[in-house]
Amino acid sequence: MIEKVVIIGSGPAGYTAGIYAGRANLNPVLYADEPRQIGAFNIVPGGQLMFTTEVENYPGFPKGVMGPEMMELFRQQAEHCGCRMVGRMISKVDFSRRPFQLWDSEDQLIEAHAVIVATGATANWLGLPNEQRLAQSGGGVSACAVCDGALPMFRNQPLAVVGGGDSAIEEATYLTKFASKVYLIHRRDKLRASKAMQDRALNNHKMEMIWNKVVVDVLGDNKITGVKLHDTVTQQESTLELRGLFIGIGHTPATAFLKNQMQLDEKGYIVLKDLYRTTTSVDGVFAAGDVADSVYRQAITAAGMGCKAALDAERWLAAQGIE
Ligand code: NAP
């Protein structure tokens, strides 16, 4: 059987594509990773929202909603609309053939006329066990200030952002609206961020730069109480008291399996052929969500792109005479 459309990825983009493609009678099938444990990390379907606690900025939930609960609702809605779910990842593709060929994590071959890639991008973490524990339990550690920074637990509290790029400064600047103070912890004594962003950080009286320091542990049982820092110049250790820690050290798009199959940018993000569409360098392959968007990275923008990708796929299939 040749699938009309295969969706890869199970965040807001993938599930929304599943809802629209299902309602368009395309009988879509969505491949998402099966839950598993890798070291200290829980890999679960549902994308980055599975690691978020309360989502307050997704329209339709005036009282907020927990990230994992929201993804379960998305999943149920996609299934209700006729999208089939398979608990395996796609590990290899051949986009040079028609129909496209894809292989899942059990090496089974799937053939598809159209593909929607919605595999997302994962926030980079420091890789500390206590960082992951407190991030997953809602203990005040997050990789997204725009998602979590406005929560009551962070109001008028000392917070810190790790990183020296544009994201870290943008996140730190955003947090100064709520926090009593925001420390920017950077491992060097020079910021990577653009000059304009640097000026913004250095002129913000609520922000304090902590140069040449690496976070080596996150302290606190149920809630973060501080971090342990290592000075890269003096080699000394110190403690900084905090009520929130935001990791802003970049993202990695999940596109390793697409290398040499389609156009990716130098960081691995899928390049869109037209910024207003979801078309890619391969005719019949569409991209949605953070895998093709390093700028907005929000659940609502990913869901919007998932909708666009399903509509683009539906129109493309119709133009090929495949209905
Ligand atoms: P980035 O530019 O790659 O910066 C990552 C930062 O994290 C760097 O300062 C890096 O330190 C630090 N870092 C990396 N790994 C680390 C580790 N293990 N421990 C401690 N620090 C670590 O990533 P980004 O800031 O997310 O930006 C990505 C792209 O999006 C950039 O092109 C950026 O310009 C763009 N962007 C633009 C805007 C805007 O214009 N408004 C906003 C956000 C992002 P080193 O400097 O020492 O390498």
Side-chain angles (χ1 to χ4, degrees), residues 8 89-93 95 102 117 119 254-259 261:
I8 316 172
M89 252 338 256
I90 297 297
S91 50
K92 201 169 87 178
V93 297
F95 287 161
L102 303 89
V117 183
T119 45
T255 52
F257 71 108
L258 298 172
K259 224 172 161 190
Q261 294 291 330

Side-chain angles (χ1 to χ4, degrees), residues 36-53:
R36 65 199 153 93
Q37 183 91 21
I38 299 181
F41 298 86
N42 272 320
I43 307 295
V44 280
Q48 291 192 83
L49 280 169
M50 300 305 281
F51 297 95
T52 307
T53 47

Side-chain angles (χ1 to χ4, degrees), residues 45-73:
Q48 291 192 83
L49 280 169
M50 300 305 281
F51 297 95
T52 307
T53 47
E54 195 163 6
V55 180
E56 282 187 324
N57 55 7
Y58 199 93
F61 297 94
K63 296 190 176 120
V65 59
M66 299 304 276
E69 185 192 343
M70 187 164 100
M71 281 305 91
E72 176 56 19
L73 292 170

Side-chain angles (χ1 to χ4, degrees), residues 190 196 201 209 247:
K190 278 192 184 60
M209 311 302 300
I247 313 298

